[in-house]
């Protein structure tokens, strides 16, 4: 496809193929489920990684969900999460003791491309596409005014106070006609409700934050939840080097209908939105196609990612990666 690092969803050897191959070649460690289909018929795929994956009921062990690519153009989120998945599987297969113990007691879930239509469109048509591909005006083609923001469509304070999302089709934060109207939202909500993860990391970009609920309300009660602070760290000692941890509505801006608000409020999931780096000054959503930079971004998130996995069996006593 002309890129060193980036792979689309549909292309041969692309993300969809990779997920199927990983599940097929790691039977009973990696189980693939199709959570739903998008407007254009693409599969929304989740992988469960745990010892004996195929024989066990989903959610029978404490679960952690790593999700990415709700926003089509945030390719670094896809890649960091994909590398985390491969890291976990490779270390297990290499006989790493810590990983074997972890995957005996814990289920690690991965939704690498939460918005596959939008992601594919960002390769094929418009690099800076953000939303899904709902045909808002129903004219049979995708144009600039189409798409719903998947991170404004969740059934939690949906459209609250008309602040933090938009009713306008063309807005980048168009919330959709109703809560969970979108197949991408139904898929993610369904998974969250089914496995009730102890933790979620919903990777986005770009801006070097570790955000947490509530997004709809500034100064929200979660400020005092010591588990969030223990795992995200503080400005002086963040869990991801160079990132600012904090409540999403204070740190960045107010949203409603957001994924992590849903996860936290519905199921008590301790749910983070890490906003990954731009990769260079002014790169914005276009992280450089540079293997070394991408690997560096992955490596610096790894201790935080693993701290969530290690904390799942006893969330009240989080195994922080921060000293
Ligand atoms: O707006 C979003 O959905 C996220 N930022 S992005 O640039 N990746 O689109 C941030 C959501 C975090 N929540 C709040 N800021 N309330
Ligand atoms: Zn985003």
């Amino acid at each position: 496809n002309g890129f060193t690092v980036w792979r689309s969803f549909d292309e041969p050897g692309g993300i969809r193929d990779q997920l199927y191959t990983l599940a097929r070649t790691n039977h009973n460690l990696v189980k693939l489920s199709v959570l739903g289909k998008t407007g254009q018929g693409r599969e929304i795929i989740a992988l469960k990684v745990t010892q004996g994956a195929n024989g066990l009921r989903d959610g029978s062990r404490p679960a952690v969900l790593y999700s990415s690519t709700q926003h089509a153009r945030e390719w670094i989120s896809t890649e960091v999460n994909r590398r985390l998945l491969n890291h976990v599987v490779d270390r297990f297969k290499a006989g790493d003791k810590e990983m074997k113990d972890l995957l005996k007691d814990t289920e690690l879930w991965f939704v690498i491309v939460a918005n596959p239509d939008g992601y594919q469109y960002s390769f094929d048509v418009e690099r800076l596409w953000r939303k899904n591909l709902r045909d808002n005006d129903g004219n049979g083609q995708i144009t600039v005014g189409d798409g719903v923001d998947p991170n404004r469509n969740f059934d939690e304070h949906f459209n609250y106070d008309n602040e933090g999302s938009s009713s306008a089709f063309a807005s980048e934060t168009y919330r959709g006609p109703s809560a969970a109207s979108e197949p991408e939202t139904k898929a993610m909500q369904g998974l969250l409700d089914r496995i009730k993860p102890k933790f979620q990391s919903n990777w986005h970009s770009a801006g070097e934050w570790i955000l947490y609920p509530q997004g709809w309300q500034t100064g929200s009660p979660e400020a005092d939840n010591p588990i969030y602070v223990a795992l995200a760290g503080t400005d002086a000692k963040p869990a991801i080097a160079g990132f600012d941890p904090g409540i999403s509505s204070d740190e960045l801006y107010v949203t409603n209908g957001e994924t992590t608000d849903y996860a936290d409020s519905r199921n008590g999931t301790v749910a983070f939105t890490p906003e990954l780096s731009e990769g260079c000054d002014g790169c914005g959503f276009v992280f450089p196609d540079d293997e070394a930079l991408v690997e560096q971004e992955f490596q610096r998130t790894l201790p935080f990612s693993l701290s969530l996995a290690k904390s799942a069996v006893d969330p009240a006593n989080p195994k922080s990666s921060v000293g």
Side-chain angles (χ1 to χ4, degrees), residues 70-71 73-74 130 149-152 164 172-173 202-207 209 211-217 247-256 258-261 273-276 285:
Q70 283 194 303
H71 292 143
R73 61 194 173 194
E74 296 169 15
R130 167 182 169 96
D149 183 345
N151 210 21
R152 300 294 184 278
E172 289 285 49
T173 57
N202 189 30
W203 305 104
H204 279 253
S205 75
W209 288 288
L211 305 171
Y212 47 84
Q214 301 295 325
W216 63 272
Q217 181 192 51
I247 293 171
S248 50
S249 47
D250 288 337
E251 204 66 45
L252 189 53
Y253 43 65
V254 168
T255 58
N256 50 51
E258 187 188 325
T259 313
T260 54
D261 282 4
T273 308
E275 293 265 5
L276 297 163
F285 296 108

Side-chain angles (χ1 to χ4, degrees), residues 23-219:
R24 182 165 36 78
T25 55
N26 294 283
H27 185 74
N28 237 15
L29 176 67
V30 180
K31 185 190 137 191
L32 183 148
S33 351
V34 176
L35 303 177
K37 292 234 176 121
T38 64
Q40 294 198 340
R42 290 191 180 81
E43 292 170 340
I44 302 160
I45 294 172
L47 296 188
K48 176 177 79 169
V49 185
T50 195
Q51 285 199 47
N54 295 64
L56 286 169
R57 186 180 55 81
D58 294 344
S60 56
R61 291 170 174 160
V64 179
L65 172 59
Y66 303 96
S67 49
S68 44
T69 335
Q70 283 194 303
H71 292 143
R73 61 194 173 194
E74 296 169 15
W75 295 0
I76 187 61
S77 79
T78 322
E79 194 54 27
V80 161
N81 207 19
R82 191 190 68 85
R83 283 174 198 231
L84 177 61
L85 165 64
N86 288 335
H87 171 92
V88 166
V89 172
D90 289 349
R91 263 179 69 186
F92 179 86
K93 289 166 78 174
D96 180 278
K97 167 100 169 67
E98 189 184 41
M99 196 53 74
K100 288 187 102 163
D101 288 348
L102 192 64
L103 295 177
K104 189 152 48 68
D105 300 327
T106 309
E107 294 177 6
L108 304 185
W109 285 81
F110 295 85
V111 177
I112 304 293
V113 184
N115 170 14
D117 285 355
Y119 182 64
Q120 188 62 37
Y121 195 75
S122 72
F123 280 79
D124 295 344
V125 181
E126 171 51 63
R127 174 66 186 88
L128 288 178
W129 194 261
R130 167 182 169 96
K131 298 183 286 181
N132 75 359
L133 295 187
R134 171 188 273 268
D135 183 9
N136 291 336
D137 57 9
N139 73 347
Q141 47 199 15
I142 300 303
T143 51
V144 284
D146 286 325
V148 168
D149 183 345
N151 210 21
R152 300 294 184 278
N153 188 243
F154 280 67
D155 192 7
E156 177 58 39
H157 284 83
F158 178 82
N159 188 19
Y160 177 75
D161 213 13
N162 200 29
E163 187 193 354
S165 68
S166 173
S167 60
F169 286 172
S171 167
E172 289 285 49
T173 57
Y174 173 51
R175 67 178 81 95
S178 57
S181 56
E182 303 310 291
E184 296 82 2
T185 314
K186 290 192 180 89
M188 184 74 78
Q189 285 192 180
L191 180 64
L192 287 165
D193 293 346
R194 190 153 64 86
I195 66 171
K196 303 192 191 320
K198 304 298 180 198
F199 298 100
Q200 180 181 15
S201 183
N202 189 30
W203 305 104
H204 279 253
S205 75
E208 307 196 323
W209 288 288
I210 307 173
L211 305 171
Y212 47 84
Q214 301 295 325
W216 63 272
Q217 181 192 51
T218 52

